[in-house]
Amino acid sequence: MKFGIVVFPGSNCDRDVAMVTEGILNQPTRMVWHQETDISDLDVIIVPGGFSYGDYLRCGAIARFSPVMNSIIAHGQAGKYVLGICNGFQVLTESGLLRGALVRNRDLHFICDQVPVRVEHNNSVWTNNYQCQQVLSLPIAHGEGNYFADDDTLKALEDNQQIIFRYCDGEGKINSSGNPNGSCGNIAGITNEKGNVLGMMPHPERASDAMLGFTDGRALFTSILSAMVGV
C-alpha cells in the first residue's frame, strides 16, 4: 500500500502527514508536487493542510486548478482513496469531489485549538478502528472551517451516512457550545457518496504520535490500512 501526499506552494502540513504514514505506520510514501499528473502508483492520495497559494483568493480556490487535481479527481471517481485535511478539505470542495463549501468561521477569527470531535459511525473505511459515537480530541487550525451546504445537500449527507465527524462538547453532545466555527450541523468531516473520498477540518496527523501527547487521530490512518491490507 502506497501513500501520496500532495505539495502545493504554501502547504505546511505535508511532512507532518508523512511522519505518520512513513514514520509511524512504516508505509511507502511519496511526496507529489502539484504539477505532477501521473499518480497511478498510489493507493491513497492525501491533500494536506496549509495555505495553498497563500489562500490569497479563497482557501483552495487556486489549488483546485493545479495540474495534479485532474488526476486526483479521476483517482477519486475511480473509487480509489482520497483524504483532504483542513486546506485539503477546502480544495476537495472547490474541485467538486465533495459537496458543500468551507466559509469564514462564525466569529471571523482564526481558530487554533484542541476540540472534541465525535465519530458518527464506524462502518466507513476511514473509521473502522474507532467506536461508533467515540469522542476524540483533535487539533483544529483554520479561519475558513465553517462547513456550509443547502438543506437538500445536508439531508442527502445525513441520509447516506456521509457525515463522519461532528464537533461536540466534552460529553459527546451535539450543540452550539461544542461548535467552534458555526458549521452546519456541527459537521467536521464528510465523505462523498461512495465513501472513498473524505474531507475533514481537524488534523488527525497532529494527534498520532504519543510524543505529542495525543493519539486519537492515528486510528483514522490505521482504519484505511485495515480496510486495504487487513493489518
Side-chain angles (χ1 to χ4, degrees), residues 93-94 98-102 147-150 153 157 190:
T93 58
E94 291 285 345
L98 291 173
R99 302 177 72 176
L102 281 308
Y147 181 80
F148 177 81
D150 60 34
T153 298
L157 294 174
I190 61 168

Side-chain angles (χ1 to χ4, degrees), residues 1-4 39 42-47 71-72 74-84 92 97 124-126 128 191-192 194-198 223-229:
M1 177 173 171
K2 189 172 183 179
F3 287 91
I39 57 171
L42 303 173
D43 299 300
V44 181
I45 188 83
I46 299 177
V47 187
S71 302
I72 292 174
H75 188 90
Q77 290 176 339
K80 298 180 180 179
Y81 298 107
V82 180
L83 168 62
L92 296 186
L97 269 176
S124 160
V125 293
W126 305 102
N128 60 73
T191 68
N192 63 344
K194 292 179 180 177
N196 60 301
V197 179
L198 168 65
S223 289
I224 193 69
L225 268 178
S226 298
M228 293 197 67
V229 298

Side-chain angles (χ1 to χ4, degrees):
M1 177 173 171
K2 189 172 183 179
F3 287 91
I5 303 169
V6 180
V7 182
F8 296 105
S11 297
N12 64 5
C13 299
D14 43 3
R15 264 61 184 182
D16 296 345
V17 178
M19 180 274 295
V20 178
T21 59
E22 190 170 38
I24 295 177
L25 301 180
N26 198 30
Q27 297 299 307
T29 298
R30 180 168 75 81
M31 309 310 286
V32 180
W33 182 236
H34 74 110
Q35 292 180 324
E36 291 187 37
T37 56
D38 184 0
I39 57 171
S40 59
D41 59 317
L42 303 173
D43 299 300
V44 181
I45 188 83
I46 299 177
V47 187
F51 300 88
S52 58
Y53 294 91
D55 287 344
Y56 289 121
L57 176 60
R58 185 177 67 244
C59 297
I62 302 176
R64 173 257 180 276
F65 293 101
S66 278
V68 72
M69 287 308 302
N70 287 332
S71 302
I72 292 174
I73 291 170
H75 188 90
Q77 290 176 339
K80 298 180 180 179
Y81 298 107
V82 180
L83 168 62
I85 301 169
C86 196
N87 189 218
F89 186 11
Q90 295 159 342
V91 174
L92 296 186
T93 58
E94 291 285 345
S95 68
L97 269 176
L98 291 173
R99 302 177 72 176
L102 281 308
V103 300
R104 293 288 301 277
N105 293 342
R106 174 183 51 209
D107 297 327
L108 305 182
H109 295 152
F110 188 91
I111 302 172
C112 184
D113 204 351
Q114 190 85 12
V115 299
V117 175
R118 193 175 77 182
V119 179
E120 291 304 282
H121 64 81
N122 63 354
N123 53 357
S124 160
V125 293
W126 305 102
T127 56
N128 60 73
N129 280 349
Y130 289 114
Q131 298 297 313
C132 185
Q133 305 289 293
Q134 183 177 346
V135 178
L136 315 177
S137 180
L138 294 177
I140 57 171
H142 56 247
E144 296 185 15
N146 180 353
Y147 181 80
F148 177 81
D150 60 34
D151 291 342
D152 289 343
T153 298
L154 291 172
K155 184 178 186 306
L157 294 174
E158 196 81 58
D159 292 347
N160 296 329
Q161 289 197 310
Q162 292 172 242
I163 301 171
I164 300 293
F165 298 112
R166 291 186 200 268
Y167 303 109
C168 63
D169 66 18
E171 297 178 347
K173 297 177 181 175
I174 305 302
N175 50 44
S176 59
S177 67
N179 189 342
N181 52 29
S183 288
C184 291
N186 286 48
I187 288 173
I190 61 168
T191 68
N192 63 344
E193 194 165 353
K194 292 179 180 177
N196 60 301
V197 179
L198 168 65
M200 59 188 297
M201 289 310 295
H203 285 265
E205 79 281 10
R206 296 183 186 176
S208 294
D209 188 340
M211 291 184 68
L212 299 177
F214 301 97
T215 57
D216 285 355
R218 188 186 300 180
L220 182 134
F221 297 98
T222 61
S223 289
I224 193 69
L225 268 178
S226 298
M228 293 197 67
V229 298
V231 297

